[in-house]
Amino acid sequence: MPEELQPQSILFFILSGVCIGSSLAVVLHKNPVISAVSLVLSFFSLAGIYAVMNAIFIATMQVIVYTGAIMVLVIFVIMLLSLREETNLEIWRNPVKQIAIVFVVCIFGGILVASMNFNPEIGNGDPIESYKFLIQNGQNSGVEVKGNTASVGASTFLQYLLPFELVSILLTVAVIGAVVIAKRDKLNQS
Amino acid sequence: MNTLISGVPLTYYLSLAAAMFAIGVLGVLLRRNAVVIFMSVELMLNAVNLVFIAFSKSMGIIGGEVIVFFVMAIAAAEAAVGLAILVAIHRHKKTVFVDEINLLKW
């Protein structure tokens, strides 16, 4: 527990409050368009939290990929489908929904208790300022970079190269699959 | 193991992630609109990303941030395919409410 309140702590509390509030708005609001806009706000505040944690690259990617690409896709689909509003949620009358709420509270409590009691001894705890990759060819050659973005990039392309290539194949398959699924069926068109 | 990340305890980040994940589960279980269920799944993915970044910063291992990058790519793929399925279902059934979609029921 920090003794005096630092500006980073204040930022964290403001951003996490905005994040939880807009997440609740996503789930509880009846109009799906307002849900989507609240989700954009939630992603922005989460990007701010990443920036507070010094994960600059991930914060940028959060803004570009999530709020820039995925949410535009979601809002386009909402407009394409011309959704009507849901009727009342009626959380307290439906017994299945009551069980669902109890279940969620149990999950939340369990994760909270587990995170409070968590105290492992892994890693040296030094802040990540640089990344070093040793090439295994008998000599003492290697790559060393400084800074958050350079560290993530070097780690992606040196240590995690095979998963990176597999993700590119996955994205190609997903794009082709999305086009094939959403295409109008010529046989049933008549 | 560094329990303070930028002056904020690790437990606070984990609690925020737990709250976001619980809200996401709540959305999946309570809502009928498939698009909102989809957005709740995105919320849960973001909670997991936050845990990855928190432990990456706390342990001083860069791999967590790389995995978050991969999770984002997979979320983008999932968004494309999932929304295409929604559009296809809406074309057949004229609804996206999950309790009215019973194509597999016979």
Side-chain angles (χ1 to χ4, degrees):
Chain A
M1 198 62 188
E3 294 300 321
E4 76 274 21
L5 218 52
Q6 296 167 337
Q8 289 154 331
S9 317
I10 299 169
L11 262 180
F12 172 79
F13 286 121
I14 294 172
L15 288 171
S16 56
V18 171
C19 189
I20 289 182
S22 51
S23 305
L24 278 175
V26 171
V27 170
L28 297 179
H29 205 280
K30 279 190 283 185
N31 190 342
V33 177
I34 291 180
S35 288
V37 174
S38 312
L39 193 60
V40 170
L41 185 61
S42 171
F43 285 165
F44 261 116
S45 54
L46 203 61
I49 288 172
Y50 292 155
V52 166
M53 298 163 88
N54 267 329
I56 305 298
F57 176 71
I58 297 298
T60 316
M61 280 298 125
Q62 177 85 9
V63 173
I64 293 174
V65 174
Y66 266 114
T67 63
I70 294 181
M71 289 319 295
V72 167
L73 198 61
V74 169
I75 289 175
F76 260 109
V77 168
I78 287 173
M79 289 193 286
L80 270 179
L81 301 184
S82 69
L83 301 174
R84 61 181 193 275
E85 288 193 2
E86 273 183 55
T87 48
N88 281 331
L89 286 172
E90 286 182 356
I91 291 168
W92 301 113
R93 300 213 187 90
N94 192 335
V96 178
K97 290 186 176 177
Q98 287 173 358
I99 293 171
I101 289 200
V102 171
F103 179 65
V104 166
V105 169
C106 288
I107 287 180
F108 179 62
I111 299 175
L112 211 58
V113 168
S115 68
M116 291 293 179
N117 294 330
F118 188 79
N119 192 20
E121 295 294 334
I122 310 168
N124 50 12
D126 294 333
I128 309 160
E129 292 293 328
S130 63
Y131 174 75
K132 193 168 189 200
F133 185 78
L134 289 174
I135 296 167
Q136 311 281 335
N137 59 355
Q139 303 155 11
N140 270 335
S141 58
V143 179
E144 185 166 10
V145 292
K146 289 197 190 318
N148 179 259
T149 307
S151 300
V152 176
S155 182
T156 306
F157 289 109
L158 292 169
Q159 198 177 355
Y160 296 93
L161 185 60
L162 181 64
F164 182 78
E165 298 293 343
L166 290 179
V167 162
S168 71
I169 295 173
L170 176 83
L171 282 175
T172 314
V173 171
V175 168
I176 295 172
V179 170
V180 169
I181 290 170
K183 198 177 61 175
R184 188 175 289 276
D185 198 353
K186 287 222 174 93
L187 291 177
N188 295 338
Q189 202 175 19
S190 66
Chain B
M1 191 80 193
N2 195 358
T3 51
L4 285 181
I5 306 164
S6 301
V8 183
L10 174 65
T11 316
Y12 290 8
Y13 292 105
L14 296 183
S15 308
L16 173 63
M20 278 184 70
F21 192 88
I23 292 169
V25 174
L26 200 68
V28 170
L29 291 178
L30 292 184
R31 296 301 297 260
R32 297 161 60 222
N33 193 331
V35 179
V36 179
I37 289 176
F38 187 79
M39 290 194 268
S40 305
V41 173
E42 298 286 333
L43 217 53
M44 289 197 277
L45 281 170
N46 272 280
V48 174
N49 280 354
L50 183 60
V51 174
F52 266 122
I53 301 271
F55 280 123
S56 164
K57 288 296 178 190
S58 158
M59 295 178 183
I61 301 166
I62 198 76
E65 296 181 42
V66 180
I67 288 177
V68 167
F69 185 51
F70 291 149
V71 169
M72 281 182 185
I74 288 169
E78 177 233 336
V81 175
L83 291 173
I85 290 173
L86 277 187
V87 170
I89 286 176
H90 186 264
R91 188 173 294 142
H92 275 275
K93 299 283 289 184
K94 301 296 171 212
T95 181
V96 289
F97 287 173
V98 287
D99 51 353
E100 295 169 12
I101 299 168
N102 46 12
L103 294 166
L104 286 180
K105 203 169 166 184
W106 57 284

